[in-house]
Every structure is written in C-alpha cells, then in structure tokens.
Amino acid sequence: PAFTLSNVTTRIDTTRGAPVFVIRGEIRAEHTTGPVPDLNVTFPDLGTGSRVVYAIPRGEMLKRGETIRFSTRITAGAHVGSDPQVTLNGQ
C-alpha cells in the first residue's frame, strides 16, 4: 500500500463526562508522495450485525518515507464495549 498505519491504540475517555473513544496512531507514506487518505473507523452494530463507519478527513501531504502521528476522538455512544477497526480509506 502507498500509506500504512502503525501503533494504533484506542481507549475510552470519560474525563469530560460522556464516554469517547480516543484513537491514536501513525500514518507513513511508504511508496508515494501525496495526500494522506481519510481514516475509516468501523464499529460493529451489535443490534443489527451490520457495521457503522466514521470517515475522518485527513489530506496532509506526506513525502515518501515521512510519518505523521494522529489523534481523534469519537463519541462512544452505543459502541461502548466494542473495539473499533481503524483503516485508511482505499487501502
């Protein structure tokens, strides 16, 4: 793939009241120079068996071999107890 994810961690934060997922990791441009693809954060919908996907816009420009760190927060809501899958759109 052109970009890779690494060191992705997720945790629940409740310090501001309602629980949120805090998702952190690194994105590396492996074989290309260009804009970073959006992050897709996917949760299983325990009620229906389908999936709920949150697209997190990125777009930073990376040169081949460069790495950036990211951190994002998503309201946990009904997804408390689920482990999200984090991927790069189109990868």
Side-chain angles (χ1 to χ4, degrees), residues 2 4 16 20-23 32 42-43 53 69 72 74 76-77 84-85 87 89:
T4 56
R16 297 182 186 163
V20 296
F21 280 96
V22 178
I23 302 167
T32 191
T42 305
F43 294 93
V53 180
R69 292 188 175 128
T72 191
I74 297 175
Q85 178 185 19
T87 59
N89 189 30

PDB file of all heavy atoms in Angstrom, residues 2 4 16 20-23 32 42-43 53 69 72 74 76-77 84-85 87 89:
ATOM      1  N   ALA A   2       0.297   2.334  -0.500  1.00  0.00           N
ATOM      2  CA  ALA A   2       1.011   3.611  -0.563  1.00  0.00           C
ATOM      3  C   ALA A   2       1.236   4.187   0.830  1.00  0.00           C
ATOM      4  O   ALA A   2       2.259   4.802   1.101  1.00  0.00           O
ATOM      5  CB  ALA A   2       0.245   4.595  -1.432  1.00  0.00           C
ATOM      6  N   THR A   4       0.680   3.386   5.215  1.00  0.00           N
ATOM      7  CA  THR A   4       0.418   2.354   6.214  1.00  0.00           C
ATOM      8  C   THR A   4       0.099   2.984   7.563  1.00  0.00           C
ATOM      9  O   THR A   4       0.542   4.088   7.874  1.00  0.00           O
ATOM     10  CB  THR A   4       1.625   1.409   6.376  1.00  0.00           C
ATOM     11  OG1 THR A   4       2.784   2.177   6.710  1.00  0.00           O
ATOM     12  CG2 THR A   4       1.878   0.599   5.113  1.00  0.00           C
ATOM     13  N   ARG A  16     -14.448  14.063  30.577  1.00  0.00           N
ATOM     14  CA  ARG A  16     -15.322  15.203  30.287  1.00  0.00           C
ATOM     15  C   ARG A  16     -16.805  14.828  30.362  1.00  0.00           C
ATOM     16  O   ARG A  16     -17.647  15.522  29.803  1.00  0.00           O
ATOM     17  CB  ARG A  16     -15.005  15.770  28.916  1.00  0.00           C
ATOM     18  CG  ARG A  16     -13.596  16.332  28.824  1.00  0.00           C
ATOM     19  CD  ARG A  16     -13.341  16.920  27.461  1.00  0.00           C
ATOM     20  NE  ARG A  16     -11.947  17.318  27.350  1.00  0.00           N
ATOM     21  CZ  ARG A  16     -11.345  17.562  26.214  1.00  0.00           C
ATOM     22  NH1 ARG A  16     -11.990  17.451  25.073  1.00  0.00           N
ATOM     23  NH2 ARG A  16     -10.080  17.927  26.206  1.00  0.00           N
ATOM     24  N   VAL A  20     -15.938   8.855  25.289  1.00  0.00           N
ATOM     25  CA  VAL A  20     -15.476   8.995  23.906  1.00  0.00           C
ATOM     26  C   VAL A  20     -14.322   8.025  23.674  1.00  0.00           C
ATOM     27  O   VAL A  20     -13.570   7.706  24.599  1.00  0.00           O
ATOM     28  CB  VAL A  20     -15.027  10.431  23.559  1.00  0.00           C
ATOM     29  CG1 VAL A  20     -16.163  11.416  23.628  1.00  0.00           C
ATOM     30  CG2 VAL A  20     -13.881  10.877  24.436  1.00  0.00           C
ATOM     31  N   PHE A  21     -14.226   7.553  22.452  1.00  0.00           N
ATOM     32  CA  PHE A  21     -13.057   6.775  22.049  1.00  0.00           C
ATOM     33  C   PHE A  21     -11.954   7.751  21.680  1.00  0.00           C
ATOM     34  O   PHE A  21     -12.185   8.705  20.923  1.00  0.00           O
ATOM     35  CB  PHE A  21     -13.352   5.908  20.818  1.00  0.00           C
ATOM     36  CG  PHE A  21     -14.080   4.646  21.123  1.00  0.00           C
ATOM     37  CD1 PHE A  21     -15.453   4.587  21.008  1.00  0.00           C
ATOM     38  CD2 PHE A  21     -13.398   3.513  21.531  1.00  0.00           C
ATOM     39  CE1 PHE A  21     -16.136   3.422  21.282  1.00  0.00           C
ATOM     40  CE2 PHE A  21     -14.066   2.339  21.815  1.00  0.00           C
ATOM     41  CZ  PHE A  21     -15.446   2.296  21.692  1.00  0.00           C
ATOM     42  N   VAL A  22     -10.771   7.537  22.199  1.00  0.00           N
ATOM     43  CA  VAL A  22      -9.582   8.280  21.795  1.00  0.00           C
ATOM     44  C   VAL A  22      -8.753   7.305  20.957  1.00  0.00           C
ATOM     45  O   VAL A  22      -8.369   6.231  21.433  1.00  0.00           O
ATOM     46  CB  VAL A  22      -8.771   8.784  23.009  1.00  0.00           C
ATOM     47  CG1 VAL A  22      -7.514   9.498  22.554  1.00  0.00           C
ATOM     48  CG2 VAL A  22      -9.635   9.685  23.880  1.00  0.00           C
ATOM     49  N   ILE A  23      -8.526   7.678  19.710  1.00  0.00           N
ATOM     50  CA  ILE A  23      -7.812   6.811  18.773  1.00  0.00           C
ATOM     51  C   ILE A  23      -6.545   7.537  18.348  1.00  0.00           C
ATOM     52  O   ILE A  23      -6.600   8.679  17.891  1.00  0.00           O
ATOM     53  CB  ILE A  23      -8.691   6.487  17.554  1.00  0.00           C
ATOM     54  CG1 ILE A  23      -9.995   5.822  18.028  1.00  0.00           C
ATOM     55  CG2 ILE A  23      -7.942   5.597  16.565  1.00  0.00           C
ATOM     56  CD1 ILE A  23     -11.054   5.737  16.966  1.00  0.00           C
ATOM     57  N   THR A  32       5.004   6.474  -1.956  1.00  0.00           N
ATOM     58  CA  THR A  32       4.473   7.580  -2.746  1.00  0.00           C
ATOM     59  C   THR A  32       4.597   8.894  -1.996  1.00  0.00           C
ATOM     60  O   THR A  32       4.821   8.897  -0.788  1.00  0.00           O
ATOM     61  CB  THR A  32       2.997   7.318  -3.106  1.00  0.00           C
ATOM     62  OG1 THR A  32       2.583   8.264  -4.083  1.00  0.00           O
ATOM     63  CG2 THR A  32       2.091   7.414  -1.893  1.00  0.00           C
ATOM     64  N   THR A  42     -14.408   1.813  12.057  1.00  0.00           N
ATOM     65  CA  THR A  42     -15.564   0.946  11.882  1.00  0.00           C
ATOM     66  C   THR A  42     -15.902   0.235  13.194  1.00  0.00           C
ATOM     67  O   THR A  42     -15.030  -0.350  13.830  1.00  0.00           O
ATOM     68  CB  THR A  42     -15.287  -0.102  10.787  1.00  0.00           C
ATOM     69  OG1 THR A  42     -14.891   0.572   9.594  1.00  0.00           O
ATOM     70  CG2 THR A  42     -16.505  -0.964  10.513  1.00  0.00           C
ATOM     71  N   PHE A  43     -17.190   0.305  13.558  1.00  0.00           N
ATOM     72  CA  PHE A  43     -17.711  -0.376  14.736  1.00  0.00           C
ATOM     73  C   PHE A  43     -18.766  -1.382  14.296  1.00  0.00           C
ATOM     74  O   PHE A  43     -19.557  -1.081  13.396  1.00  0.00           O
ATOM     75  CB  PHE A  43     -18.398   0.612  15.688  1.00  0.00           C
ATOM     76  CG  PHE A  43     -17.489   1.603  16.318  1.00  0.00           C
ATOM     77  CD1 PHE A  43     -17.289   2.844  15.744  1.00  0.00           C
ATOM     78  CD2 PHE A  43     -16.835   1.310  17.510  1.00  0.00           C
ATOM     79  CE1 PHE A  43     -16.461   3.788  16.327  1.00  0.00           C
ATOM     80  CE2 PHE A  43     -16.001   2.239  18.098  1.00  0.00           C
ATOM     81  CZ  PHE A  43     -15.819   3.477  17.506  1.00  0.00           C
ATOM     82  N   VAL A  53     -19.573   3.055  10.077  1.00  0.00           N
ATOM     83  CA  VAL A  53     -18.267   3.568   9.681  1.00  0.00           C
ATOM     84  C   VAL A  53     -18.248   5.087   9.822  1.00  0.00           C
ATOM     85  O   VAL A  53     -19.133   5.773   9.319  1.00  0.00           O
ATOM     86  CB  VAL A  53     -17.922   3.183   8.223  1.00  0.00           C
ATOM     87  CG1 VAL A  53     -16.558   3.739   7.832  1.00  0.00           C
ATOM     88  CG2 VAL A  53     -17.971   1.681   8.037  1.00  0.00           C
ATOM     89  N   ARG A  69       1.868  11.540  13.145  1.00  0.00           N
ATOM     90  CA  ARG A  69       1.047  10.977  14.219  1.00  0.00           C
ATOM     91  C   ARG A  69      -0.328  11.615  14.148  1.00  0.00           C
ATOM     92  O   ARG A  69      -0.463  12.772  13.737  1.00  0.00           O
ATOM     93  CB  ARG A  69       1.678  11.261  15.564  1.00  0.00           C
ATOM     94  CG  ARG A  69       2.962  10.515  15.770  1.00  0.00           C
ATOM     95  CD  ARG A  69       3.453  10.679  17.194  1.00  0.00           C
ATOM     96  NE  ARG A  69       4.621   9.841  17.378  1.00  0.00           N
ATOM     97  CZ  ARG A  69       5.763  10.263  17.860  1.00  0.00           C
ATOM     98  NH1 ARG A  69       5.901  11.510  18.256  1.00  0.00           N
ATOM     99  NH2 ARG A  69       6.783   9.445  17.971  1.00  0.00           N
ATOM    100  N   THR A  72      -7.633  11.267  17.303  1.00  0.00           N
ATOM    101  CA  THR A  72      -9.007  11.678  17.043  1.00  0.00           C
ATOM    102  C   THR A  72      -9.912  11.153  18.145  1.00  0.00           C
ATOM    103  O   THR A  72      -9.576  10.175  18.820  1.00  0.00           O
ATOM    104  CB  THR A  72      -9.476  11.204  15.647  1.00  0.00           C
ATOM    105  OG1 THR A  72     -10.708  11.832  15.321  1.00  0.00           O
ATOM    106  CG2 THR A  72      -9.627   9.690  15.586  1.00  0.00           C
ATOM    107  N   ILE A  74     -14.005  10.131  19.084  1.00  0.00           N
ATOM    108  CA  ILE A  74     -15.338   9.814  18.564  1.00  0.00           C
ATOM    109  C   ILE A  74     -16.231   9.485  19.749  1.00  0.00           C
ATOM    110  O   ILE A  74     -15.866   8.664  20.594  1.00  0.00           O
ATOM    111  CB  ILE A  74     -15.296   8.614  17.598  1.00  0.00           C
ATOM    112  CG1 ILE A  74     -14.443   8.946  16.381  1.00  0.00           C
ATOM    113  CG2 ILE A  74     -16.700   8.199  17.182  1.00  0.00           C
ATOM    114  CD1 ILE A  74     -14.252   7.783  15.441  1.00  0.00           C
ATOM    115  N   ALA A  76     -18.526   7.708  22.065  1.00  0.00           N
ATOM    116  CA  ALA A  76     -18.668   6.257  22.177  1.00  0.00           C
ATOM    117  C   ALA A  76     -20.119   5.817  22.017  1.00  0.00           C
ATOM    118  O   ALA A  76     -20.399   4.827  21.350  1.00  0.00           O
ATOM    119  CB  ALA A  76     -18.097   5.770  23.500  1.00  0.00           C
ATOM    120  N   GLY A  77     -21.047   6.535  22.631  1.00  0.00           N
ATOM    121  CA  GLY A  77     -22.469   6.203  22.499  1.00  0.00           C
ATOM    122  C   GLY A  77     -22.741   4.721  22.669  1.00  0.00           C
ATOM    123  O   GLY A  77     -22.292   4.093  23.627  1.00  0.00           O
ATOM    124  N   PRO A  84     -13.080  -0.731  17.879  1.00  0.00           N
ATOM    125  CA  PRO A  84     -13.169  -0.263  16.501  1.00  0.00           C
ATOM    126  C   PRO A  84     -12.028  -0.800  15.650  1.00  0.00           C
ATOM    127  O   PRO A  84     -10.945  -1.091  16.134  1.00  0.00           O
ATOM    128  CB  PRO A  84     -13.065   1.260  16.640  1.00  0.00           C
ATOM    129  CG  PRO A  84     -12.286   1.465  17.887  1.00  0.00           C
ATOM    130  CD  PRO A  84     -12.671   0.336  18.795  1.00  0.00           C
ATOM    131  N   GLN A  85     -12.314  -0.926  14.355  1.00  0.00           N
ATOM    132  CA  GLN A  85     -11.294  -1.264  13.374  1.00  0.00           C
ATOM    133  C   GLN A  85     -10.916   0.039  12.689  1.00  0.00           C
ATOM    134  O   GLN A  85     -11.789   0.764  12.204  1.00  0.00           O
ATOM    135  CB  GLN A  85     -11.823  -2.261  12.370  1.00  0.00           C
ATOM    136  CG  GLN A  85     -10.839  -2.613  11.300  1.00  0.00           C
ATOM    137  CD  GLN A  85     -11.440  -3.514  10.241  1.00  0.00           C
ATOM    138  OE1 GLN A  85     -12.645  -3.618  10.095  1.00  0.00           O
ATOM    139  NE2 GLN A  85     -10.585  -4.164   9.483  1.00  0.00           N
ATOM    140  N   THR A  87      -8.799   1.845   9.658  1.00  0.00           N
ATOM    141  CA  THR A  87      -8.149   1.597   8.370  1.00  0.00           C
ATOM    142  C   THR A  87      -8.010   2.914   7.616  1.00  0.00           C
ATOM    143  O   THR A  87      -8.619   3.917   7.977  1.00  0.00           O
ATOM    144  CB  THR A  87      -8.964   0.600   7.503  1.00  0.00           C
ATOM    145  OG1 THR A  87     -10.268   1.145   7.297  1.00  0.00           O
ATOM    146  CG2 THR A  87      -9.056  -0.761   8.179  1.00  0.00           C
ATOM    147  N   ASN A  89      -8.804   4.781   4.103  1.00  0.00           N
ATOM    148  CA  ASN A  89      -9.760   4.658   3.009  1.00  0.00           C
ATOM    149  C   ASN A  89      -9.038   4.232   1.721  1.00  0.00           C
ATOM    150  O   ASN A  89      -8.041   4.836   1.335  1.00  0.00           O
ATOM    151  CB  ASN A  89     -10.468   5.992   2.795  1.00  0.00           C
ATOM    152  CG  ASN A  89     -11.625   5.872   1.835  1.00  0.00           C
ATOM    153  OD1 ASN A  89     -12.262   4.837   1.743  1.00  0.00           O
ATOM    154  ND2 ASN A  89     -11.878   6.928   1.102  1.00  0.00           N
TER     155      ASN A  89
END
